Amino acid sequence: MTKTSKLNPITTEIIRNAFLSAAEEMCNSLFRSSYTPIIYEMKDCAVALYNENLEVLGQSTGVPLFLGNLDETVRYAINYFGGKENFRDGDIFILNDSYISGTHLNDMTVFQPIFYHDELVGFAANRAHWLDVGSKEPLAPMDSTSIFQEGIRIGPLKIVDAGVMRKDVVDTICMNSRFPRNARGDLNGMIAGCKTGEKRLRALIERFGTETIRQATYEIFEQTAVLEREVLRQIPAGVYTEEGYLDNDGVVDQPIKVRMTLTVDDQGNLDVDLTGSSPQAVGSTNTGVAQTISAIRVAYKMLILPEAPVTGGSFQGLTFKIPPKTVFSAEEPAAFSWYFSHLGLLIDLIV
């Protein structure tokens, strides 16, 4: 089947909603099997199901700031391991490095490649806040000035190798928490969420076939892109500038400036430029590029088709410029514990 032959629209809609249902089931699996109230009661987590190109098939309801950057985080890990061809069926990975994911170290990301008959067909990913990751103070420090005060820092790391749990690696991660039982339980819950996504995507391929799934995916993405462009063209072309301030970074009593310039053209393109925002902070009011991209996407989504789900066709009219070494693109050894206040301000300013 080629991308020019349209599917029956009923089939496309069934597959579209199946993707969304799979993501919600992944999230419910995480809720029900996690050990920490911040996950199963506060819902401080998010999950997503992707195709083999890391394009969104379905996202759950969850923390919006997480949803927009899981793909960026997994993409970094793929490159780190030298490409998708180095993954095997049954592999599962973890990471929390703030300079990759953009958030504080308490936010763990777990992801899994999904195979069908030895062919890579997608990825399942989730992120959840762990209660404690061994920072200088229980839970998370508010006066940190270095990432090395904030807990165990994990780059892309394989925790399940072709279906076999790497006990030594998992034990090392959990022993670096003041609540190792909770850490182990939450990790198992995150793994269960990924396995649920794997099960549901495989079932869909079994039912419809690989080519039908790919054709439906293409049509879903195309519909999303067309609808978003129509809304973007309704925004008057021009340059919009705004700035706001936080009182301080929690350590140094000086304001943190957030400055953004939006440029809209008449072709349905929107560019966000954060030039002029404060340099990375001494305190922990910092974030990484991946999470800044996510915040920009949240603001975009609040304005552009907020009632429609995110797909791989979303954000095609959105570009951004994030200069290095600002509070939105902090570099080592900047602290990240209080990463979200200026992101919230940025979202407000854009909207």
Side-chain angles (χ1 to χ4, degrees), residues 227-237 240 264-266 268 304:
L227 290 171
E228 288 193 1
R229 290 283 189 183
E230 289 180 358
V231 177
L232 281 165
R233 290 191 184 100
Q234 297 174 27
I235 302 175
Y240 303 82
V264 183
D265 66 21
D266 56 7
I304 311 299

Side-chain angles (χ1 to χ4, degrees), residues 100-141:
I100 301 171
S101 66
T103 75
H104 55 199
L105 296 178
N106 295 73
D107 294 332
M108 290 285 179
T109 299
V110 171
F111 75 91
Q112 164 183 4
I114 300 173
F115 289 83
Y116 180 77
H117 292 170
D118 297 324
E119 179 185 4
L120 180 67
V121 292
F123 292 87
N126 58 48
R127 178 173 297 158
H129 181 108
W130 284 19
L131 192 62
D132 183 273
V133 291
S135 61
K136 71 186 184 75
E137 295 165 356
L139 308 185

